[in-house]
Amino acid sequence: MTRSTVFTPFDIVEGDRKKGVVLLADHARRDLPEEYGSLGLPASEFDRHIAYDIGVETVTRELAAALDAPAVLAGFSRLLIDPNRGEDDPTMIRQLYDGTVVPGNYPIAREERERRLDRFYRPYHDAVGAMIASVAHASGKAPFIFSVHSFTPAMQGFVRPWHVGVLWDRDDRVARPLIDMLAEDKSLVVGDNEPYDGALRGDTMFRHAIVNGYAHALIEIRQDLIADRAGALAWAERLAPIVDAIDRRPDIHRVKMFGSRTGPV
């Protein structure tokens, strides 16, 4: 974790916007502004998945470089506020997370909640929206949005068997070929809406892709596979030709409204 008095809530990785691809990493970093200290937590908690998605920043940056595609990465820890939640989601600012009480989040006043939304959450989503609009303008077509996350090998005593999972709601234009191409490697156990369900109202994919009819998918890579640089590089190299192949499919860059399993869009 790093702390800074000059804090940027997002980071932009530049790439060729004419390709029509946008990469996202909602939980790339574990940083906090200096004024928040460590939210009352020991430093060791920021090495855990509760603070960020381990390995995702390197995977996303290397994938962006391999594809020459732009990316937007959130610059703050999910313990401060989780950008992959809707503004009305009670888990947006966690007071208890995987057995850890977060003193700096408990209790939290309405004014502080709004302050974090205005300073961190909304600027990140504004940057995501601006990048997607810029890619749409530069490419002259509907963007393909690809979000990178990671998950723990075990949760609450359950050992997760998947090496990678693909999360999606109703639009399977990216998810189905992505699952199929990953599964061509017989050494991989590929999850279909595992270890989480991709239908989450108000999350980043809902907010920027589903409501606009843009093809998209969220990939979850098991954290022990990308915890070091070698593993992260290997996964970026694995994903680059797959994402590029999907980007070239004729139905990917069309606006299609599939709706959501969470309710009306």
mmCIF file of all heavy atoms in Angstrom, residues 203-237:
data_model
loop_
_atom_site.group_PDB
_atom_site.id
_atom_site.type_symbol
_atom_site.label_atom_id
_atom_site.label_comp_id
_atom_site.label_asym_id
_atom_site.label_seq_id
_atom_site.Cartn_x
_atom_site.Cartn_y
_atom_site.Cartn_z
ATOM 1 N N ASP A 203 -23.274 -2.627 -10.935
ATOM 2 C CA ASP A 203 -21.821 -2.786 -10.986
ATOM 3 C C ASP A 203 -21.260 -2.145 -12.254
ATOM 4 O O ASP A 203 -21.994 -1.564 -13.058
ATOM 5 C CB ASP A 203 -21.412 -4.253 -10.839
ATOM 6 C CG ASP A 203 -21.725 -5.110 -12.063
ATOM 7 O OD1 ASP A 203 -22.386 -4.633 -13.008
ATOM 8 O OD2 ASP A 203 -21.325 -6.291 -12.069
ATOM 9 N N THR A 204 -19.964 -2.232 -12.437
ATOM 10 C CA THR A 204 -19.324 -1.540 -13.564
ATOM 11 C C THR A 204 -19.842 -2.028 -14.905
ATOM 12 O O THR A 204 -20.097 -1.225 -15.818
ATOM 13 C CB THR A 204 -17.798 -1.710 -13.481
ATOM 14 O OG1 THR A 204 -17.343 -1.178 -12.239
ATOM 15 C CG2 THR A 204 -17.103 -0.976 -14.618
ATOM 16 N N MET A 205 -20.005 -3.341 -15.055
ATOM 17 C CA MET A 205 -20.497 -3.873 -16.321
ATOM 18 C C MET A 205 -21.946 -3.448 -16.574
ATOM 19 O O MET A 205 -22.317 -3.117 -17.705
ATOM 20 C CB MET A 205 -20.376 -5.396 -16.339
ATOM 21 C CG MET A 205 -18.960 -5.932 -16.368
ATOM 22 S SD MET A 205 -18.057 -5.568 -17.908
ATOM 23 C CE MET A 205 -17.260 -4.030 -17.466
ATOM 24 N N PHE A 206 -22.753 -3.439 -15.526
ATOM 25 C CA PHE A 206 -24.141 -2.996 -15.679
ATOM 26 C C PHE A 206 -24.178 -1.531 -16.101
ATOM 27 O O PHE A 206 -24.868 -1.152 -17.054
ATOM 28 C CB PHE A 206 -24.898 -3.183 -14.363
ATOM 29 C CG PHE A 206 -26.351 -2.811 -14.438
ATOM 30 C CD1 PHE A 206 -27.301 -3.768 -14.759
ATOM 31 C CD2 PHE A 206 -26.772 -1.514 -14.211
ATOM 32 C CE1 PHE A 206 -28.653 -3.435 -14.843
ATOM 33 C CE2 PHE A 206 -28.108 -1.164 -14.285
ATOM 34 C CZ PHE A 206 -29.050 -2.132 -14.603
ATOM 35 N N ARG A 207 -23.408 -0.722 -15.397
ATOM 36 C CA ARG A 207 -23.455 0.721 -15.579
ATOM 37 C C ARG A 207 -22.930 1.170 -16.933
ATOM 38 O O ARG A 207 -23.481 2.098 -17.557
ATOM 39 C CB ARG A 207 -22.637 1.363 -14.456
ATOM 40 C CG ARG A 207 -22.544 2.865 -14.492
ATOM 41 C CD ARG A 207 -21.885 3.372 -13.220
ATOM 42 N NE ARG A 207 -21.802 4.811 -13.187
ATOM 43 C CZ ARG A 207 -21.637 5.517 -12.075
ATOM 44 N NH1 ARG A 207 -21.547 4.903 -10.919
ATOM 45 N NH2 ARG A 207 -21.565 6.836 -12.126
ATOM 46 N N HIS A 208 -21.867 0.535 -17.425
ATOM 47 C CA HIS A 208 -21.210 1.024 -18.631
ATOM 48 C C HIS A 208 -21.438 0.165 -19.870
ATOM 49 O O HIS A 208 -21.260 0.663 -20.987
ATOM 50 C CB HIS A 208 -19.706 1.154 -18.381
ATOM 51 C CG HIS A 208 -19.370 2.197 -17.359
ATOM 52 N ND1 HIS A 208 -19.432 3.544 -17.616
ATOM 53 C CD2 HIS A 208 -18.986 2.072 -16.060
ATOM 54 C CE1 HIS A 208 -19.091 4.219 -16.525
ATOM 55 N NE2 HIS A 208 -18.810 3.357 -15.569
ATOM 56 N N ALA A 209 -21.787 -1.104 -19.697
ATOM 57 C CA ALA A 209 -21.944 -1.995 -20.843
ATOM 58 C C ALA A 209 -23.394 -2.414 -21.052
ATOM 59 O O ALA A 209 -23.958 -2.209 -22.130
ATOM 60 C CB ALA A 209 -21.051 -3.228 -20.674
ATOM 61 N N ILE A 210 -24.007 -2.984 -20.047
ATOM 62 C CA ILE A 210 -25.350 -3.557 -20.213
ATOM 63 C C ILE A 210 -26.365 -2.498 -20.607
ATOM 64 O O ILE A 210 -27.146 -2.693 -21.549
ATOM 65 C CB ILE A 210 -25.767 -4.293 -18.925
ATOM 66 C CG1 ILE A 210 -24.924 -5.555 -18.750
ATOM 67 C CG2 ILE A 210 -27.251 -4.650 -18.961
ATOM 68 C CD1 ILE A 210 -25.119 -6.268 -17.419
ATOM 69 N N VAL A 211 -26.368 -1.366 -19.900
ATOM 70 C CA VAL A 211 -27.387 -0.348 -20.194
ATOM 71 C C VAL A 211 -27.178 0.291 -21.565
ATOM 72 O O VAL A 211 -28.113 0.860 -22.129
ATOM 73 C CB VAL A 211 -27.426 0.741 -19.098
ATOM 74 C CG1 VAL A 211 -27.753 0.142 -17.753
ATOM 75 C CG2 VAL A 211 -26.119 1.521 -19.042
ATOM 76 N N ASN A 212 -25.960 0.168 -22.115
ATOM 77 C CA ASN A 212 -25.665 0.746 -23.429
ATOM 78 C C ASN A 212 -25.705 -0.273 -24.563
ATOM 79 O O ASN A 212 -25.548 0.093 -25.728
ATOM 80 C CB ASN A 212 -24.284 1.398 -23.402
ATOM 81 C CG ASN A 212 -24.225 2.601 -22.485
ATOM 82 O OD1 ASN A 212 -25.117 3.449 -22.506
ATOM 83 N ND2 ASN A 212 -23.184 2.683 -21.662
ATOM 84 N N GLY A 213 -25.879 -1.542 -24.226
ATOM 85 C CA GLY A 213 -25.905 -2.576 -25.251
ATOM 86 C C GLY A 213 -24.550 -2.921 -25.825
ATOM 87 O O GLY A 213 -24.455 -3.422 -26.952
ATOM 88 N N TYR A 214 -23.466 -2.693 -25.041
ATOM 89 C CA TYR A 214 -22.113 -2.977 -25.509
ATOM 90 C C TYR A 214 -21.684 -4.392 -25.104
ATOM 91 O O TYR A 214 -21.921 -4.825 -23.972
ATOM 92 C CB TYR A 214 -21.115 -1.986 -24.908
ATOM 93 C CG TYR A 214 -21.295 -0.549 -25.343
ATOM 94 C CD1 TYR A 214 -20.844 0.491 -24.539
ATOM 95 C CD2 TYR A 214 -21.902 -0.218 -26.556
ATOM 96 C CE1 TYR A 214 -20.988 1.818 -24.926
ATOM 97 C CE2 TYR A 214 -22.062 1.103 -26.947
ATOM 98 C CZ TYR A 214 -21.602 2.113 -26.126
ATOM 99 O OH TYR A 214 -21.752 3.423 -26.516
ATOM 100 N N ALA A 215 -21.050 -5.091 -26.023
ATOM 101 C CA ALA A 215 -20.531 -6.430 -25.735
ATOM 102 C C ALA A 215 -19.458 -6.339 -24.654
ATOM 103 O O ALA A 215 -18.633 -5.424 -24.657
ATOM 104 C CB ALA A 215 -19.956 -7.060 -27.000
ATOM 105 N N HIS A 216 -19.460 -7.313 -23.751
ATOM 106 C CA HIS A 216 -18.582 -7.213 -22.585
ATOM 107 C C HIS A 216 -18.440 -8.559 -21.891
ATOM 108 O O HIS A 216 -19.234 -9.484 -22.112
ATOM 109 C CB HIS A 216 -19.163 -6.213 -21.583
ATOM 110 C CG HIS A 216 -20.498 -6.674 -21.053
ATOM 111 N ND1 HIS A 216 -21.672 -6.520 -21.773
ATOM 112 C CD2 HIS A 216 -20.850 -7.317 -19.914
ATOM 113 C CE1 HIS A 216 -22.680 -7.041 -21.088
ATOM 114 N NE2 HIS A 216 -22.202 -7.528 -19.948
ATOM 115 N N ALA A 217 -17.456 -8.644 -21.030
ATOM 116 C CA ALA A 217 -17.330 -9.770 -20.099
ATOM 117 C C ALA A 217 -16.391 -9.354 -18.982
ATOM 118 O O ALA A 217 -15.546 -8.465 -19.146
ATOM 119 C CB ALA A 217 -16.811 -11.030 -20.779
ATOM 120 N N LEU A 218 -16.553 -10.012 -17.842
ATOM 121 C CA LEU A 218 -15.656 -9.833 -16.706
ATOM 122 C C LEU A 218 -14.949 -11.157 -16.478
ATOM 123 O O LEU A 218 -15.607 -12.191 -16.347
ATOM 124 C CB LEU A 218 -16.448 -9.415 -15.467
ATOM 125 C CG LEU A 218 -15.674 -9.028 -14.201
ATOM 126 C CD1 LEU A 218 -16.522 -8.104 -13.324
ATOM 127 C CD2 LEU A 218 -15.250 -10.255 -13.389
ATOM 128 N N ILE A 219 -13.620 -11.123 -16.448
ATOM 129 C CA ILE A 219 -12.856 -12.344 -16.215
ATOM 130 C C ILE A 219 -12.299 -12.328 -14.797
ATOM 131 O O ILE A 219 -11.862 -11.289 -14.297
ATOM 132 C CB ILE A 219 -11.724 -12.500 -17.252
ATOM 133 C CG1 ILE A 219 -11.130 -13.915 -17.185
ATOM 134 C CG2 ILE A 219 -10.655 -11.435 -17.099
ATOM 135 C CD1 ILE A 219 -10.219 -14.244 -18.339
ATOM 136 N N GLU A 220 -12.376 -13.468 -14.134
ATOM 137 C CA GLU A 220 -11.817 -13.663 -12.793
ATOM 138 C C GLU A 220 -10.705 -14.712 -12.898
ATOM 139 O O GLU A 220 -10.955 -15.848 -13.304
ATOM 140 C CB GLU A 220 -12.892 -14.170 -11.828
ATOM 141 C CG GLU A 220 -13.981 -13.168 -11.503
ATOM 142 C CD GLU A 220 -13.660 -12.339 -10.271
ATOM 143 O OE1 GLU A 220 -12.559 -12.507 -9.721
ATOM 144 O OE2 GLU A 220 -14.525 -11.532 -9.878
ATOM 145 N N ILE A 221 -9.480 -14.320 -12.534
ATOM 146 C CA ILE A 221 -8.333 -15.236 -12.569
ATOM 147 C C ILE A 221 -7.965 -15.584 -11.128
ATOM 148 O O ILE A 221 -7.925 -14.705 -10.269
ATOM 149 C CB ILE A 221 -7.128 -14.599 -13.279
ATOM 150 C CG1 ILE A 221 -7.536 -14.059 -14.655
ATOM 151 C CG2 ILE A 221 -5.989 -15.612 -13.421
ATOM 152 C CD1 ILE A 221 -6.490 -13.152 -15.292
ATOM 153 N N ARG A 222 -7.687 -16.840 -10.856
ATOM 154 C CA ARG A 222 -7.347 -17.239 -9.490
ATOM 155 C C ARG A 222 -6.038 -16.586 -9.057
ATOM 156 O O ARG A 222 -5.052 -16.608 -9.784
ATOM 157 C CB ARG A 222 -7.262 -18.765 -9.374
ATOM 158 C CG ARG A 222 -7.559 -19.277 -7.965
ATOM 159 C CD ARG A 222 -7.587 -20.773 -7.923
ATOM 160 N NE ARG A 222 -6.241 -21.323 -8.145
ATOM 161 C CZ ARG A 222 -5.994 -22.583 -8.499
ATOM 162 N NH1 ARG A 222 -6.996 -23.407 -8.721
ATOM 163 N NH2 ARG A 222 -4.754 -22.996 -8.657
ATOM 164 N N GLN A 223 -6.041 -16.020 -7.881
ATOM 165 C CA GLN A 223 -4.959 -15.135 -7.472
ATOM 166 C C GLN A 223 -3.595 -15.808 -7.349
ATOM 167 O O GLN A 223 -2.566 -15.187 -7.629
ATOM 168 C CB GLN A 223 -5.326 -14.445 -6.159
ATOM 169 C CG GLN A 223 -6.408 -13.398 -6.362
ATOM 170 C CD GLN A 223 -6.962 -12.827 -5.089
ATOM 171 O OE1 GLN A 223 -6.588 -13.243 -3.989
ATOM 172 N NE2 GLN A 223 -7.876 -11.881 -5.215
ATOM 173 N N ASP A 224 -3.561 -17.056 -6.952
ATOM 174 C CA ASP A 224 -2.253 -17.703 -6.820
ATOM 175 C C ASP A 224 -1.571 -17.890 -8.173
ATOM 176 O O ASP A 224 -0.350 -18.068 -8.233
ATOM 177 C CB ASP A 224 -2.385 -19.053 -6.107
ATOM 178 C CG ASP A 224 -3.320 -20.009 -6.835
ATOM 179 O OD1 ASP A 224 -4.449 -19.618 -7.169
ATOM 180 O OD2 ASP A 224 -2.919 -21.161 -7.077
ATOM 181 N N LEU A 225 -2.341 -17.813 -9.261
ATOM 182 C CA LEU A 225 -1.775 -17.977 -10.598
ATOM 183 C C LEU A 225 -1.132 -16.697 -11.127
ATOM 184 O O LEU A 225 -0.338 -16.750 -12.070
ATOM 185 C CB LEU A 225 -2.857 -18.436 -11.575
ATOM 186 C CG LEU A 225 -3.594 -19.738 -11.211
ATOM 187 C CD1 LEU A 225 -4.692 -20.022 -12.219
ATOM 188 C CD2 LEU A 225 -2.613 -20.899 -11.131
ATOM 189 N N ILE A 226 -1.479 -15.553 -10.517
ATOM 190 C CA ILE A 226 -0.981 -14.273 -11.024
ATOM 191 C C ILE A 226 -0.358 -13.418 -9.919
ATOM 192 O O ILE A 226 -0.137 -12.217 -10.098
ATOM 193 C CB ILE A 226 -2.090 -13.476 -11.748
ATOM 194 C CG1 ILE A 226 -3.295 -13.238 -10.833
ATOM 195 C CG2 ILE A 226 -2.514 -14.202 -13.017
ATOM 196 C CD1 ILE A 226 -4.351 -12.314 -11.445
ATOM 197 N N ALA A 227 -0.072 -14.033 -8.772
ATOM 198 C CA ALA A 227 0.453 -13.277 -7.634
ATOM 199 C C ALA A 227 1.863 -12.746 -7.884
ATOM 200 O O ALA A 227 2.249 -11.712 -7.333
ATOM 201 C CB ALA A 227 0.428 -14.137 -6.378
ATOM 202 N N ASP A 228 2.636 -13.451 -8.700
ATOM 203 C CA ASP A 228 3.963 -12.937 -9.049
ATOM 204 C C ASP A 228 3.957 -12.454 -10.499
ATOM 205 O O ASP A 228 3.031 -12.724 -11.265
ATOM 206 C CB ASP A 228 5.059 -13.980 -8.812
ATOM 207 C CG ASP A 228 4.890 -15.244 -9.633
ATOM 208 O OD1 ASP A 228 4.214 -15.218 -10.684
ATOM 209 O OD2 ASP A 228 5.438 -16.282 -9.224
ATOM 210 N N ARG A 229 4.997 -11.734 -10.846
ATOM 211 C CA ARG A 229 5.031 -11.111 -12.180
ATOM 212 C C ARG A 229 5.035 -12.151 -13.293
ATOM 213 O O ARG A 229 4.381 -11.972 -14.327
ATOM 214 C CB ARG A 229 6.252 -10.193 -12.296
ATOM 215 C CG ARG A 229 6.314 -9.467 -13.626
ATOM 216 C CD ARG A 229 7.295 -8.333 -13.644
ATOM 217 N NE ARG A 229 7.318 -7.689 -14.955
ATOM 218 C CZ ARG A 229 6.421 -6.822 -15.385
ATOM 219 N NH1 ARG A 229 5.424 -6.477 -14.612
ATOM 220 N NH2 ARG A 229 6.501 -6.292 -16.595
ATOM 221 N N ALA A 230 5.750 -13.255 -13.078
ATOM 222 C CA ALA A 230 5.817 -14.290 -14.116
ATOM 223 C C ALA A 230 4.438 -14.845 -14.421
ATOM 224 O O ALA A 230 4.058 -15.033 -15.589
ATOM 225 C CB ALA A 230 6.766 -15.404 -13.689
ATOM 226 N N GLY A 231 3.672 -15.118 -13.376
ATOM 227 C CA GLY A 231 2.325 -15.641 -13.580
ATOM 228 C C GLY A 231 1.414 -14.637 -14.251
ATOM 229 O O GLY A 231 0.624 -14.985 -15.141
ATOM 230 N N ALA A 232 1.519 -13.374 -13.840
ATOM 231 C CA ALA A 232 0.688 -12.335 -14.445
ATOM 232 C C ALA A 232 1.020 -12.147 -15.922
ATOM 233 O O ALA A 232 0.129 -11.997 -16.766
ATOM 234 C CB ALA A 232 0.871 -11.022 -13.684
ATOM 235 N N LEU A 233 2.313 -12.177 -16.239
ATOM 236 C CA LEU A 233 2.724 -12.063 -17.646
ATOM 237 C C LEU A 233 2.198 -13.234 -18.466
ATOM 238 O O LEU A 233 1.734 -13.063 -19.600
ATOM 239 C CB LEU A 233 4.243 -11.993 -17.741
ATOM 240 C CG LEU A 233 4.906 -10.686 -17.309
ATOM 241 C CD1 LEU A 233 6.418 -10.847 -17.259
ATOM 242 C CD2 LEU A 233 4.524 -9.552 -18.249
ATOM 243 N N ALA A 234 2.269 -14.436 -17.894
ATOM 244 C CA ALA A 234 1.804 -15.624 -18.610
ATOM 245 C C ALA A 234 0.316 -15.512 -18.922
ATOM 246 O O ALA A 234 -0.127 -15.888 -20.016
ATOM 247 C CB ALA A 234 2.099 -16.877 -17.791
ATOM 248 N N TRP A 235 -0.459 -14.983 -17.969
ATOM 249 C CA TRP A 235 -1.893 -14.860 -18.218
ATOM 250 C C TRP A 235 -2.210 -13.744 -19.210
ATOM 251 O O TRP A 235 -3.131 -13.878 -20.023
ATOM 252 C CB TRP A 235 -2.646 -14.678 -16.904
ATOM 253 C CG TRP A 235 -3.067 -16.023 -16.383
ATOM 254 C CD1 TRP A 235 -2.374 -16.849 -15.552
ATOM 255 C CD2 TRP A 235 -4.256 -16.719 -16.742
ATOM 256 N NE1 TRP A 235 -3.070 -18.024 -15.355
ATOM 257 C CE2 TRP A 235 -4.227 -17.966 -16.064
ATOM 258 C CE3 TRP A 235 -5.346 -16.430 -17.547
ATOM 259 C CZ2 TRP A 235 -5.248 -18.911 -16.186
ATOM 260 C CZ3 TRP A 235 -6.365 -17.360 -17.668
ATOM 261 C CH2 TRP A 235 -6.315 -18.583 -16.993
ATOM 262 N N ALA A 236 -1.454 -12.668 -19.176
ATOM 263 C CA ALA A 236 -1.644 -11.625 -20.184
ATOM 264 C C ALA A 236 -1.352 -12.173 -21.575
ATOM 265 O O ALA A 236 -2.086 -11.901 -22.541
ATOM 266 C CB ALA A 236 -0.753 -10.420 -19.871
ATOM 267 N N GLU A 237 -0.296 -12.971 -21.683
ATOM 268 C CA GLU A 237 0.056 -13.588 -22.972
ATOM 269 C C GLU A 237 -1.007 -14.584 -23.412
ATOM 270 O O GLU A 237 -1.285 -14.715 -24.609
ATOM 271 C CB GLU A 237 1.412 -14.269 -22.862
ATOM 272 C CG GLU A 237 2.573 -13.294 -22.719
ATOM 273 C CD GLU A 237 3.887 -13.988 -22.399
ATOM 274 O OE1 GLU A 237 3.898 -15.238 -22.313
ATOM 275 O OE2 GLU A 237 4.905 -13.279 -22.225
#
